[in-house]
């Protein structure tokens, strides 16, 4: 009998995440689906990926079964798949979401309302800005805002869908590892998101952030800047006596009044990523580090805990955070904690508007620890024998 | 003959003495506090001639609104109707009052700098920007900032939050240029930039935090100079300054209008030695320094008023219920005002003892202690001891000192063997510098455009003009222009000759970043004259790990009037001529800067979305005060 292995399968969704983890079980493998979404397909449309996942999760009796569905956070590139057809047939044991998705938690509700309210306010503004002319920065900002819209249909599946009446759990950082009867032998360390005020601040930007105040301050009628004074003060196109203002100075000053949409979109993106679950799945010797898109705030809080530092030193598989962007993988993790020769998978693809994702330097730094790195958009380059490739996915077998 | 007689006649006509001060009305806090009596105050400013704007010698207001692409009318503060009335009455609805208030508070702030520094601070930046500009309504947004490129402070305006506007009306327009604190804060940024131009470069996490903290300190201490406000608040808080009040809160209206339900920041904290380590956001980190200075200020204030309280209460020191006696309020308010002015002066004065680059909070403590001790060796009210203790309670320790005793916090004095700063040739006499700095202060400002009737004859007018000029500027008219470059060349030559002693890198270019004379009068009446030079250097090769900023080194030299070097305050670049200990510290400083860049990268969600070019200069992009203030904290 061969040694037991945990299989991690990364689907090529384009710009997004969809991971199916298969653990040895009696009669059939235990299955964990971590995220299923994309904002930009890479050949196969989302429905195609979902069909493939459902088929891959189907038992001999013809029923698809997934023991545990984890949605790390509500961004479209992590949940769009749950909007597609086919989930109603899938028997699911449990669904795990971050605590910020808890429908009964008032604090969580407030965070969700702030985030989706901001997204809803930004999208039409950014669309209008793009309609006015070519604007790469505006396009990038719009993509971020669209990513953060409520994604209601997908969230409905996660909250109410699936066959088999799954248990829903809303998780926050906790020192005691979680277990589930659906997957005996596996323990889950939930390292984030924390309920710490400093971390929440990242999810729920304080109202006095200038971009929020700016949006709130726009004139409801014109959608532009409010009139500071009555009409009797208008009508001076040139400076009063003496003052001079060069065209260049004027241009620079005018620019400060322009749309702060880009700034708001980045902050929103950070806010939603800040809700991301950060999990270490321990089964046998295998330690799978699944950070979703966790950002600095969540990581920083987790890295303060000595037990978790010790846990992270044992990592044997790392799902590279946030599609390989460099601020989703702390330097301290790479330099000080990750051991030699782990497996790493980056679900990513080059996108014109974000040339720094994935960050080459980060992949290179990870490469110094371990050559076992695969990218979803370059399955042909996944180094053998550590990875298998099949149409639609790359797969790693992690010893247990 | 006839001509001369006419000149004499004109000049001998009895003229009115130009008043020393110009009184102007302002909101002491902001319009939200408008209904209280203490909020509408009249402040006295140096009476400089003003053109409509106002446009003065160092500050000018240009009321351009970039959001609407229009100008608002300028205020003419020399108009007789306004001269009779101490300027316009405070109002939110007339942009001309906004210009008046921005000018008045900016001037008050600048005068505080002049007074503490012992010289007139110049705010020109070259490139045809000889004055600091204020744009009271520059843009739409809940923000205000100093832009070094425009050499201007730009104020935004916005509507108050509709759901939770605090004491504002929902949706009312809030003007940042009507907040005393925001004006003082931003103008201080400008002053600091003119004193230390490299302090806008975030080379370690204390640098941007210091800029913010210092701006808050100046704004907060200025509250105590408004007598009516101070008395009102003292009566309300019964003399207890540690109680949250308008005196110790910063930007009340702004904070409430943005829906936070409180003032933007406060000088009060609960001291915690761990907080500093965790605080990386510049305003948050800066607030620790602000609280430390205020903690010391409260202690000194307590010492100076305890006796008054005992006298007023028959020895118990416990105040009875009910309103305080107005005489008592006036006396303790007077002590508070004096103590605040002393602290403000001390805070500003410390600048001359700061290294030219890469400041830390610990450096600031050492500069405070050294500067104050130079002037007042006996520390009568225990100010320095209180400061050291307040810093300690917040975990602010300078690097490389043996203990927190006052003696070990002083900058190391230069050894007696150090060469003197010899500048004694005809062109570049250091004493000349002293004289011109001293006269710059007392020199009468040029008179307004038309003080007296002018003769119609052109030739006569010219003669008259010449006569007036000579009378007004005897030294300059007699001696002619000096070449300031020769002076700088001598300072440069001094540095070249003494690179090793000044801890400057032997191969890199040395820039003379500033040189000035300082006159101060100590509490015991002694005149302290000093000469201060700043040298800076930059490592020529760009290091990608520094995110687009150079690695800088530099040395501040403090000399006494005869050229004896008193202090050499250095942040050297790593170089082989340093002693082993100095080199280790220099290397550690470089590594600290790299680690800081890495931390900024991790915390900044933007960094994932920058293109290669922007990523290469990311620290430059982050360093703008506008970017800093996009955290929403003016």
């Amino acid at each position: 009998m061969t040694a037991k292995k945990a299989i991690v399968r990364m689907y090529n969704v384009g710009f997004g995440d969809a991971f199916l983890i298969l653990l040895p079980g009696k009669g059939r493998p235990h299955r964990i689906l971590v995220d299923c979404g994309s904002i930009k397909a890479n050949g196969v449309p989302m429905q195609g990926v979902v069909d493939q996942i459902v088929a891959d999760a189907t038992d001999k009796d013809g029923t698809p079964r997934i023991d545990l569905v984890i949605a790390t956070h509500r961004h479209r590139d992590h949940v769009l798949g749950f909007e597609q057809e086919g989930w109603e047939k899938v028997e699911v044991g449990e669904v795990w979401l971050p605590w910020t998705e808890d429908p009964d938690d008032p604090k969580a509700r407030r965070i969700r309302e702030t985030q989706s309210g901001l997204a809803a306010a930004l999208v039409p503004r950014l669309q209008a800005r793009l309609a006015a002319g070519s604007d790469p920065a505006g396009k990038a900002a719009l993509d971020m805002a669209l990513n953060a819209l409520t994604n209601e249909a997908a969230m409905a599946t996660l909250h109410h869908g699936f066959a088999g009446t799954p248990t829903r759990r809303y998780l926050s950082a906790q020192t005691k590892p979680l277990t589930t009867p659906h997957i005996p032998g596996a323990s889950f360390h939930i390292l984030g998101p924390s309920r710490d005020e400093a971390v929440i601040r990242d999810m729920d930007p304080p109202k006095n952030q200038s971009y929020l105040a700016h949006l709130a301050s726009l004139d409801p009628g014109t959608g532009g800047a409010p009139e500071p004074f009555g009409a009797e003060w208008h009508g001076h196109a040139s400076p009063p006596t003496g003052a001079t203002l060069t065209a260049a100075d004027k241009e620079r000053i005018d620019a400060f009044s322009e749309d702060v949409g880009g700034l708001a979109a980045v902050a929103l993106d950070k806010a939603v990523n800040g809700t991301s679950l950060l999990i270490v799945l321990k089964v046998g010797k295998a330690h799978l580090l699944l950070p979703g898109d966790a950002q600095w705030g969540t990581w920083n809080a987790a890295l303060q805990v000595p037990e978790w530092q010790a846990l992270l030193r044992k990592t044997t598989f790392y799902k590279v955070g946030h599609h390989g962007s460099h601020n989703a993988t702390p330097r301290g993790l790479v330099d000080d904690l990750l051991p030699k020769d782990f497996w790493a998978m980056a679900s990513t693809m080059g996108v014109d508007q974000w040339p720094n994702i994935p960050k080459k330097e980060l992949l290179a730094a990870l490469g110094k620890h371990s050559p076992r790195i695969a990218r979803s958009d370059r399955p042909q380059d996944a180094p053998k024998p550590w990875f298998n490739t099949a149409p639609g996915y790359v797969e790693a077998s992690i010893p247990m | 003959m006839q001509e001369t007689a006419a000149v004499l006649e004109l000049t001998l006509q009895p003229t009115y003495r130009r008043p020393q001060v110009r009184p102007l009305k302002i909101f002491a806090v902001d319009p939200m506090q408008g209904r209280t009596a203490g909020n509408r105050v009249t402040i006295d400013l140096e009476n400089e001639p003003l053109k409509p704007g106002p446009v003065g010698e160092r500050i000018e207001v240009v009321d351009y609104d970039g959001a609407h692409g229009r100008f608002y009318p300028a205020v003419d503060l020399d108009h007789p109707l306004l001269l009779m009335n101490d300027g316009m009455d405070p109002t939110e609805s007339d942009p001309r009052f906004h210009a008046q208030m921005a000018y008045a508070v900016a001037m008050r702030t600048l005068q505080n700098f002049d007074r503490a520094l012992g010289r007139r601070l110049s705010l020109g930046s070259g490139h045809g920007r000889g004055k600091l500009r204020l744009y009271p309504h520059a843009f739409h947004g809940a923000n205000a900032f100093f832009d070094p490129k425009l050499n201007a402070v730009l104020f935004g305006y916005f509507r108050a939050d509709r759901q939770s506007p605090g004491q504002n009306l929902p949706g009312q327009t809030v003007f940042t240029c009507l907040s005393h604190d925001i004006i003082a804060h931003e103008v201080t940024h400008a002053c600091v930039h003119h004193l230390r131009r490299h302090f806008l470069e975030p080379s370690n996490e204390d640098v941007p935090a210091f800029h913010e903290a210092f701006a808050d300190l100046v704004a907060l201490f200025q509250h105590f100079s408004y007598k009516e406000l101070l008395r009102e608040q003292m009566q309300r808080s019964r003399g207890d300054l540690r109680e949250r009040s308008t005196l110790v809160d910063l930007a009340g209206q702004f904070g409430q209008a943005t829906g936070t339900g409180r003032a933007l920041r406060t000088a009060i904290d609960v001291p915690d030695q761990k907080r500093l380590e965790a605080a990386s956001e510049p305003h948050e980190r800066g607030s620790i320094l602000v609280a430390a200075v205020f903690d010391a200020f409260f202690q000194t204030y307590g010492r100076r008023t305890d006796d008054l309280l005992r006298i007023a209460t028959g020895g118990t020191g416990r105040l009875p219920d009910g309103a305080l006696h107005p005489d008592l309020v006036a006396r303790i308010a007077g002590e508070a005002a004096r103590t605040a002015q002393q602290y403000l002066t001390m805070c500003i004065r410390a600048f001359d003892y700061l290294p030219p680059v890469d400041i830390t909070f610990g450096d600031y403590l050492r500069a405070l202690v050294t500067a104050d001790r130079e002037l007042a060796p006996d520390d009568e009210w225990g100010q320095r001891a209180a400061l050291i203790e307040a810093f300690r309670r917040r975990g602010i320790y300078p690097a490389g000192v043996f203990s927190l005793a006052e003696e070990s916090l002083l900058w190391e004095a230069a050894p007696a063997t150090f060469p003197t700063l010899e500048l004694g040739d005809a062109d570049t006499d250091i004493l000349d510098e002293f004289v011109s700095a001293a006269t710059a202060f007392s020199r009468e400002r040029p008179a307004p455009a038309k003080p007296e009737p002018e003769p119609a004859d052109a030739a006569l007018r010219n003669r008259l003009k010449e006569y007036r000029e000579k009378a007004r500027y005897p030294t300059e008219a007699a001696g002619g222009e000096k070449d300031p470059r020769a002076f700088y060349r001598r300072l440069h030559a001094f540095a070249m000759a003494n690179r090793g002693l000044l801890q400057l890198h032997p191969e890199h270019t040395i820039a003379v970043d500033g040189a000035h004379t300082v006159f101060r009068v100590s509490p015991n009446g002694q005149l302290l004259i000093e000469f201060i030079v700043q040298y800076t250097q930059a490592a020529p090769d760009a290091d990608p790990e520094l995110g687009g900023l150079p690695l800088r080194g530099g040395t501040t030299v403090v000399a006494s009037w005869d050229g004896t070097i008193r202090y050499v305050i250095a942040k050297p670049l790593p170089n082989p001529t340093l002693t082993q200990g100095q080199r280790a510290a220099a290397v550690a400083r470089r590594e600290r800067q790299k680690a800081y860049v890495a931390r900024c990268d991790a915390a900044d969600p933007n960094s994932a979305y920058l293109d290669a070019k922007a990523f290469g200069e990311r620290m430059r992009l982050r360093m703008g005060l506008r970017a800093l203030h996009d955290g929403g904290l003016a």
Side-chain angles (χ1 to χ4, degrees):
Chain A
M1 188 181 138
T2 52
K4 284 186 172 181
K5 295 200 163 158
I7 294 170
V8 183
R9 196 172 280 175
M10 168 171 64
Y11 292 89
N12 184 4
V13 291
F15 198 93
D17 265 14
F19 287 85
L20 187 65
I21 299 170
L22 305 169
L23 302 176
K26 282 184 192 134
R28 66 169 184 87
H30 293 297
R31 302 187 185 101
I32 304 170
L33 177 64
V34 184
D35 292 336
C36 183
S38 168
I39 45 164
K40 189 171 178 151
N42 188 3
V44 187
M46 197 72 236
Q47 184 65 57
V49 178
V50 170
D51 291 344
Q52 187 177 11
I53 293 173
V54 173
D56 288 354
T58 300
D59 285 329
K60 288 186 192 109
D61 63 1
T63 304
R65 288 188 182 88
I66 299 178
D67 299 279
L68 171 60
V69 171
I70 299 175
T72 58
H73 64 297
R74 61 158 62 216
H75 261 149
R76 195 173 180 78
D77 58 340
H78 290 252
V79 300
L80 177 71
F82 298 109
E83 216 175 289
Q84 314 298 318
E85 312 279 316
W87 297 108
E88 65 286 354
K89 306 191 301 275
V90 182
E91 278 182 20
V92 172
E94 292 198 17
V95 179
W96 291 2
L97 295 159
W99 68 268
T100 49
E101 297 301 334
D102 188 342
D104 300 326
D105 182 329
K107 203 174 240 175
R109 199 178 315 137
R110 203 194 64 217
I111 291 173
R112 288 197 304 274
E113 276 165 11
T114 311
Q115 294 182 347
S116 42
L118 182 54
L122 273 175
V123 168
R125 292 191 60 75
L126 290 166
Q127 278 166 341
R129 180 172 146 186
L130 280 182
S134 162
D135 179 356
K139 170 82 175 78
L142 178 62
D143 284 350
M144 279 185 234
L146 286 171
N147 196 21
L149 281 175
T150 51
N151 295 313
E152 256 169 78
M155 295 315 288
T157 303
L158 288 164
H159 281 291
H160 314 290
F162 303 122
T165 56
T167 315
R168 262 93 188 174
R169 291 210 237 182
Y170 304 98
L171 305 174
S172 55
Q174 54 180 87
T175 39
K176 195 165 169 271
L178 273 185
T179 55
T180 160
H182 296 276
I183 310 171
S187 59
F188 297 81
H189 296 261
I190 313 298
L191 279 57
S194 156
R195 282 175 165 276
D196 197 75
E197 280 305 321
V199 178
I200 289 180
R201 200 163 53 182
D202 282 349
M203 306 172 186
D204 184 12
K207 271 180 147 183
N208 62 352
Q209 300 277 320
S210 65
Y211 54 86
L212 292 180
H214 185 273
L215 286 172
S217 155
L218 292 166
D219 190 87
T222 64
E227 276 297 346
F229 300 105
E232 67 274 27
W233 298 107
H234 302 172
H236 296 268
S238 57
T241 50
T244 54
L245 196 59
T246 65
D249 285 7
K250 213 173 203 166
E251 199 177 311
R252 187 171 170 84
I253 296 169
D254 290 350
F256 292 126
S257 282
E258 272 166 21
D259 211 310
V260 289
L263 199 68
V266 171
L268 173 65
D269 191 59
K270 178 186 179 184
V272 179
N273 282 334
T275 67
S276 191
L277 281 166
L278 169 51
I279 296 177
V280 175
L281 160 55
K282 178 175 181 296
V283 50
K285 282 185 311 212
H287 286 70
L288 316 185
L289 172 53
L290 309 166
D293 284 354
Q295 300 270 302
W296 171 244
T298 296
W299 274 113
N300 192 36
L303 292 176
Q304 308 295 325
V305 182
E307 294 94 307
W308 288 345
Q309 288 182 6
L311 188 69
L312 290 167
R313 284 181 205 281
K314 296 182 190 158
T315 302
T316 56
F317 169 85
Y318 175 46
K319 195 253 18 161
V320 179
H322 197 212
H323 322 290
S325 91
H326 90 296
N327 57 333
T329 301
R331 210 161 151 161
L333 177 76
V334 181
D335 291 350
D336 306 333
L337 295 177
L338 287 181
K340 284 264 168 232
D341 293 336
F342 54 86
W343 276 260
M345 281 179 164
S347 184
T348 190
M349 86 191 261
V351 189
D352 290 345
Q353 62 269 37
W354 300 320
N356 252 351
I357 300 180
K359 180 101 183 119
K360 287 181 219 69
E361 288 83 349
L362 169 65
L363 296 181
L366 288 171
K368 281 188 200 153
H369 288 255
S370 167
R372 306 173 189 177
I373 301 177
R375 287 176 59 157
S376 61
D377 58 340
R378 298 193 186 155
Q380 69 280 10
D381 296 343
K384 302 265 179 321
W386 295 304
F387 295 97
N388 296 321
T389 48
Y393 62 76
V394 181
E395 181 180 83
S397 301
I398 318 296
M400 291 168 52
Chain B
M1 269 326 273
Q2 204 187 350
E3 222 178 77
T4 321
V7 170
L8 282 176
E9 194 190 328
L10 267 174
T11 49
L12 292 177
Q13 237 172 27
T15 53
Y16 297 107
R17 212 183 122 92
R18 191 177 166 77
Q20 291 281 312
V21 297
R22 177 195 294 273
L24 282 178
K25 292 176 183 168
I26 59 164
F27 288 120
V29 183
D30 55 41
M32 195 180 78
Q33 307 282 334
R35 293 123 216 146
T36 62
N39 188 35
R40 285 157 188 264
V41 303
T42 302
I43 58 173
D44 286 341
L45 303 171
E46 166 192 315
N47 184 18
E48 60 171 347
L50 289 177
K51 294 204 204 90
V55 176
E57 190 195 340
R58 290 181 289 172
I59 291 177
E60 62 181 358
V61 179
V62 179
D63 206 350
Y64 174 66
D65 181 342
H68 294 286
R70 68 165 84 102
F71 290 84
Y72 301 110
V75 63
D76 178 8
L77 292 177
D78 276 351
H79 193 285
L81 292 178
L82 296 189
L83 288 172
M84 275 177 166
N85 192 48
D86 300 349
M88 297 183 67
D89 289 328
T91 168
E92 286 169 273
S93 59
D94 188 331
R96 294 172 301 177
F97 169 72
H98 299 201
Q100 168 182 317
M101 168 142 176
Y103 167 79
V105 177
M107 274 302 279
R108 164 59 71 98
T109 309
L110 189 54
Q111 280 171 217
N112 269 321
F113 271 87
D114 289 346
R115 176 171 168 177
L117 290 171
R119 64 193 154 95
R120 281 178 77 78
L121 181 62
S122 150
L123 292 181
S125 75
H127 317 292
R129 301 186 197 281
K131 296 172 187 192
L132 177 71
R133 271 203 175 173
L134 310 177
Y135 292 98
H137 311 99
F139 63 99
H140 166 226
N143 205 347
F145 53 90
F146 165 64
D147 182 26
K149 199 166 165 202
L150 293 170
N151 193 31
V153 175
L154 289 87
F155 297 92
Y157 59 88
F158 64 103
R159 279 168 194 260
D161 196 90
R162 285 186 182 76
Q163 276 85 47
S164 52
Q167 294 168 49
N168 299 289
L169 290 174
Q172 84 163 83
T173 307
V174 175
F175 298 98
T176 57
C177 71
L178 290 184
S179 160
H180 167 273
D181 297 347
I182 295 178
I183 304 168
H185 178 105
E186 301 305 336
V187 170
T188 302
H189 276 314
C191 293
V192 169
H193 182 63
H194 283 92
L195 287 167
R196 289 288 186 279
R197 67 191 171 107
H198 297 306
F199 281 11
L200 280 183
E201 291 180 352
S203 50
N204 76 64
E205 60 190 341
D206 280 355
V207 179
F210 174 78
H211 233 290
E212 296 302 330
F214 194 77
D216 279 0
L217 280 170
V218 173
L220 286 164
F221 277 129
Q222 276 188 192
H223 290 174
F224 293 84
S225 65
Y226 306 129
K227 208 190 283 171
E228 299 89 340
L229 176 74
L230 184 61
R231 288 191 186 172
E232 190 179 274
Q233 294 292 325
M234 292 298 252
Q235 180 64 267
R236 191 174 295 173
S237 65
R238 304 172 61 73
D240 181 5
L241 287 182
R242 286 180 198 258
E243 191 174 296
R244 287 281 301 257
S245 72
T246 1
L247 289 174
V248 289
D249 275 356
L250 190 96
Q253 182 184 30
F254 184 92
Q256 297 215 359
T258 46
T260 61
R262 56 189 157 86
L264 185 55
R265 286 188 288 279
T266 175
I268 314 274
D269 74 344
V270 180
D272 179 354
Q273 293 196 318
K274 298 231 168 64
R275 222 183 114 211
L276 187 70
E277 206 181 312
S280 54
E281 195 281 319
H283 297 87
E284 188 190 351
R285 194 172 175 83
S287 72
I288 300 173
L289 182 66
V290 172
V293 174
F294 263 79
D295 187 350
F297 162 65
F298 295 142
Q299 298 233 11
T300 311
Y301 163 77
R303 279 174 184 230
R304 297 176 103 161
T305 49
D306 279 349
D307 57 345
L308 287 171
L309 294 180
R310 281 192 300 271
I311 294 166
T313 55
T316 66
R318 276 197 303 275
L319 291 165
D321 291 344
L324 301 185
H325 195 290
D327 287 349
L328 178 63
V329 172
R331 286 286 285 110
I332 56 176
E335 286 299 337
R338 248 191 308 284
T339 313
Q341 186 65 50
Q342 269 169 13
Y343 265 85
L344 176 57
T345 304
M346 179 158 74
C347 286
I348 297 174
R349 201 166 55 206
F351 252 96
D352 285 332
Y353 291 78
L354 285 179
V357 297
D358 202 30
I359 189 192
T360 63
F361 286 180
D363 292 337
Y364 188 54
L365 177 61
R366 297 191 71 178
L368 277 169
V369 170
T370 311
D372 194 62
R373 170 130 153 175
E374 281 291 314
L375 201 59
D378 53 358
D379 193 16
E380 189 189 349
W381 293 103
Q383 292 189 154
R384 291 198 290 278
L387 267 175
I388 294 168
E389 173 61 10
F391 275 59
R392 185 198 65 77
R393 296 211 301 158
R394 288 163 184 80
I396 305 174
Y397 311 114
V401 296
F402 295 109
S403 78
L404 289 179
E406 187 178 312
E407 287 69 24
S408 57
L409 287 175
L410 296 173
W411 291 118
E412 218 172 302
T417 52
F418 217 93
T420 47
L421 188 56
E422 291 285 356
L423 297 164
D425 68 33
D427 273 345
T428 57
D429 196 331
I430 193 168
L431 279 174
D432 262 11
E433 279 301 306
F434 286 144
V435 171
S436 72
T439 49
F441 233 131
S442 52
R443 190 194 298 155
E444 194 185 323
R445 300 290 111 213
K450 280 191 179 172
E452 304 149 14
E454 296 283 319
D457 180 71
L460 188 58
R461 232 171 20 240
N462 283 338
R463 289 284 303 277
L464 184 62
K465 195 171 155 216
E466 220 170 90
Y467 180 89
R468 282 190 189 133
E469 297 279 313
K470 265 190 193 153
R472 203 157 276 135
Y473 305 113
T475 34
E476 282 175 24
E481 282 293 300
K482 271 193 328 172
D483 181 6
R485 281 169 304 180
F487 184 63
Y488 274 75
R489 273 200 296 273
R490 291 298 297 255
L491 291 174
H492 187 259
F494 175 78
M496 290 298 282
N498 298 289
R499 276 172 293 196
L501 288 168
L502 298 175
Q503 301 181 37
L504 294 166
H505 194 288
E507 280 139 35
H508 301 334
T509 314
I510 302 171
V512 182
D513 241 15
H516 55 258
T517 326
V518 183
F519 295 84
R520 291 183 186 119
V521 180
S522 72
N524 63 13
Q526 252 179 356
L527 180 65
L528 181 73
I529 306 177
E530 281 175 332
F531 186 70
I532 313 240
V533 195
Q534 298 171 51
Y535 297 109
T536 58
Q537 293 184 301
D541 319 311
D543 183 336
E545 281 189 72
L546 295 180
L549 288 183
L551 180 68
R552 288 193 198 277
T555 303
T556 299
V557 176
V558 181
S560 55
W561 65 275
D562 60 356
T564 311
I565 307 289
R566 308 284 319 281
Y567 296 100
V568 171
I569 302 160
K571 293 260 168 169
L573 291 172
N575 77 69
T577 65
L578 298 176
T579 66
Q580 207 179 350
Q582 288 167 346
R583 199 157 54 234
V587 170
R589 199 168 67 79
R590 182 183 65 203
E591 295 310 309
R592 178 180 73 190
Q593 187 167 344
K594 285 185 185 172
Y596 175 60
V597 174
R599 249 192 336 275
C600 290
D601 291 348
D604 179 2
N606 256 318
S607 46
Y609 302 113
L610 298 173
D611 61 28
K613 182 172 171 287
F615 191 77
E617 54 190 35
R618 59 197 183 280
M619 288 310 278
R620 276 199 187 286
L621 297 176
R622 285 178 193 139
M623 80 188 216
L625 287 167
R626 186 197 182 213
L628 208 60
H629 289 180
D630 273 328
L633 304 138

